[in-house]
């Protein structure tokens, strides 16, 4: 196909399967039919056209992405390919070579920046180590990979939205990167409903991606607090309701949602609204099924037999990612479709 490029994404190392799933989901949205070509520890090589960039910039569980130029299986091969490349097609202004030595790196890369830099300098480009216009990235893993960085996802940019930095704070909220990954895994393009919204952590991330957000919570203080949080981050396109996640059909009688993303309560009686936990989960899944026309991204403790219950209701369970939160909480993130 015309215009296809090689791209790379460096994913985060704490939940790598889920991070890879997130990249696949965004690729599916922007470049249907394309997928990940190769995986080398936390480095993913993809084939796609540049429209993928407008979706990859939504990533939550990634360090960075960029254009992939070439790979090599020895330093000699890498230098030879570098000598034969027209760097003028990729470098604008000054440059710097920046190396990432992954845990599985199997080459002696000590002098790599200097040697590769010298090859590029010989083509007439200037090095600037403090503020280069172009960053040439080299990853060392099972192979050597050379690319041009397009965007990074620094921890700082997510930290300012951590639960305790929001005006309305409860220690129940998901970390922003994880919330964002769940939204992307639900393939949301225009809207998201969170029927157990709590303080609105998922809705904040979805709102910042430009999606219309809908939220429900049983408690009025949560509805007021989530509104305060959304306003704080400049999100205006929202509909929040006080109500029961097991009665969504009544709350939204004429609406079908493209994506539902949610983190139901795990267990204290205060957050369960008096229901037995398993019963609440089952009823909520039935109610979600009724108002969904698309994907559901949902977290459940591992003790709940979510697949069995969801399949009985009619969901197709597509993906499942495990996370150990602490000694008394293990959960799965499920991606389902109706
Ligand atoms: C784990 S918290 C969600 C945390 C949320 N992701 C956040 O960022 O704050 C679960 C929420 O579900 C609410 N809840 C419990 N039972 C409910 C029900 N039947 N319908 C709607 N909300 C309910 C609780 O009040 C609580 O705020």
């Amino acid at each position: 196909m015309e215009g296809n490029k090689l791209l790379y994404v460096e994913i985060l190392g704490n939940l790598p399967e889920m991070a890879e799933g997130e990249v696949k989901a965004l690729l599916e949205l922007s470049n249907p039919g394309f997928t990940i070509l190769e995986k080398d520890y936390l480095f993913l090589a993809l084939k796609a056209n540049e429209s993928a960039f407008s979706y990859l910039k939504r990533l939550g569980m990634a360090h960075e992405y960029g254009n992939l130029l070439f790979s090599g299986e020895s330093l000699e091969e890498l230098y030879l390919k570098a000598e034969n490349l027209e760097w003028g097609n990729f470098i604008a202004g000054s440059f710097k070579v920046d190396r990432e030595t992954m845990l599985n790196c199997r080459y002696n890369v000590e002098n790599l920046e200097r040697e590769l830099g010298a090859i590029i300098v010989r083509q007439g480009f200037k090095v600037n180590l403090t503020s280069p216009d172009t960053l040439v990235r080299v990853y060392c893993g099972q192979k050597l990979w050379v690319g041009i960085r397009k965007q990074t996802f620094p921890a700082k940019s997510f930290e300012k939205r951590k639960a305790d930095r929001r005006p309305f704070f409860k220690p129940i909220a998901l970390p922003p990167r994880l919330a964002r990954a769940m939204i992307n895994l639900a393939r949301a393009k225009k809207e998201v409903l969170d029927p157990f919204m709590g303080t609105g952590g998922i809705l904040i991330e979805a709102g910042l991606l430009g999606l219309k957000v809908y939220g429900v919570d049983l408690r009025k203080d949560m509805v007021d607090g989530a509104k305060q949080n959304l306003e704080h981050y400049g999100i205006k396109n929202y509909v929040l309701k006080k109500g029961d996640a097991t009665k969504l059909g009544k709350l939204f009688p004429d609406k079908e949602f493209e994506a539902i993303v949610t983190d139901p309560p795990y267990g204290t009686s205060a957050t369960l609204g008096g229901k037995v936990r398993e019963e609440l989960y089952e009823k909520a899944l039935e109610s979600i099924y009724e108002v969904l026309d698309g994907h559901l991204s949902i977290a459940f403790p591992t003790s709940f037999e979510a697949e069995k219950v969801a399949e009985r209701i009619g969901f197709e369970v597509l993906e499942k990612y495990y996370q150990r939160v602490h000694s008394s909480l293990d959960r799965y993130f499920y991606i389902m479709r109706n």
Side-chain angles (χ1 to χ4, degrees), residues 166 172-174 195-202 217-219 222 243-245 263-265 271-272 280:
R166 302 174 196 155
I172 51 172
L174 287 171
F196 294 95
M197 74 179 156
T199 63
I202 290 170
D217 203 287
L218 210 49
R219 285 170 46 175
M222 293 290 178
D244 192 332
D263 172 34
T271 57
L272 285 176
L280 171 69

Side-chain angles (χ1 to χ4, degrees), residues 166-300:
R166 302 174 196 155
F168 179 71
F169 164 63
K170 293 271 179 252
I172 51 172
L174 287 171
R177 282 189 186 268
L178 206 51
R180 186 169 282 215
M182 287 178 75
I183 296 160
N184 288 330
L185 282 159
R187 280 87 171 148
K189 269 188 151 168
K190 61 176 199 308
E191 63 189 11
V192 162
L193 163 68
D194 181 351
F196 294 95
M197 74 179 156
T199 63
I202 290 170
L203 300 184
I204 294 169
E205 294 307 310
L208 292 174
L209 295 177
L211 307 174
K212 176 157 188 181
V213 299
Y214 297 80
V216 172
D217 203 287
L218 210 49
R219 285 170 46 175
K220 176 153 188 326
D221 62 331
M222 293 290 178
V223 179
D224 296 341
K227 179 171 186 298
Q228 198 186 348
N229 284 346
L230 288 172
E231 291 282 342
H232 176 76
Y233 291 99
I235 296 155
K236 306 271 178 226
N237 202 4
Y238 60 79
V239 175
L240 306 184
K241 297 191 179 194
K242 178 179 171 311
D244 192 332
T246 64
K247 300 190 173 73
L248 295 170
K250 283 206 182 96
L251 285 172
F252 300 99
D254 304 311
K255 175 93 188 115
E256 280 199 319
F257 294 93
E258 166 205 61
I260 298 183
V261 181
T262 197
D263 172 34
Y266 293 113
T268 62
S269 51
T271 57
L272 285 176
K275 285 203 177 62
V276 175
R277 194 174 74 172
E278 266 63 18
E279 185 192 322
L280 171 69
Y281 292 166
E282 182 162 0
K283 292 225 158 77
L285 278 173
E286 282 168 354
S287 157
I288 287 169
Y289 190 84
E290 221 184 294
V291 296
L292 177 68
D293 181 16
H295 289 82
L296 165 67
S297 182
I298 192 165
F300 282 123

Side-chain angles (χ1 to χ4, degrees), residues 115-133:
E115 306 246 351
L116 180 58
I119 293 171
I120 302 173
V121 166
R122 283 202 289 278
Q123 289 196 15
F125 297 94
K126 281 208 162 46
V127 176
N128 182 338
L129 296 180
T130 46
S131 58
D133 299 308

Side-chain angles (χ1 to χ4, degrees), residues 15 17 302 320-324 329-333:
L15 293 170
E17 281 87 22
T302 50
K320 167 176 160 182
Y321 303 105
Y322 174 77
Q323 184 193 31
R324 181 172 190 272
L329 177 61
D330 286 39
R331 66 182 166 202
Y332 281 117
F333 294 95

Side-chain angles (χ1 to χ4, degrees), residues 20-62:
E20 187 184 336
E22 188 191 18
V23 173
K24 273 191 193 146
L26 292 179
L27 208 50
E28 203 179 294
L29 284 183
S30 60
N31 282 243
F34 284 80
T35 189
I36 295 167
L37 287 179
E38 234 178 296
K39 189 171 128 188
D40 188 349
Y41 191 47
L42 300 177
F43 182 93
L44 309 178
L46 334 169
K47 192 171 202 170
N49 62 48
E50 293 236 350
S51 68
F53 285 139
S54 62
Y55 280 92
L56 292 179
K57 68 177 188 226
R58 292 176 31 166
L59 282 166
M61 297 176 75

Side-chain angles (χ1 to χ4, degrees), residues 306-318:
E307 275 163 284
K308 213 165 102 185
V309 175
E311 279 163 8
R312 182 192 57 71
I313 295 169
F315 283 102
E316 183 187 354
V317 179
L318 304 172

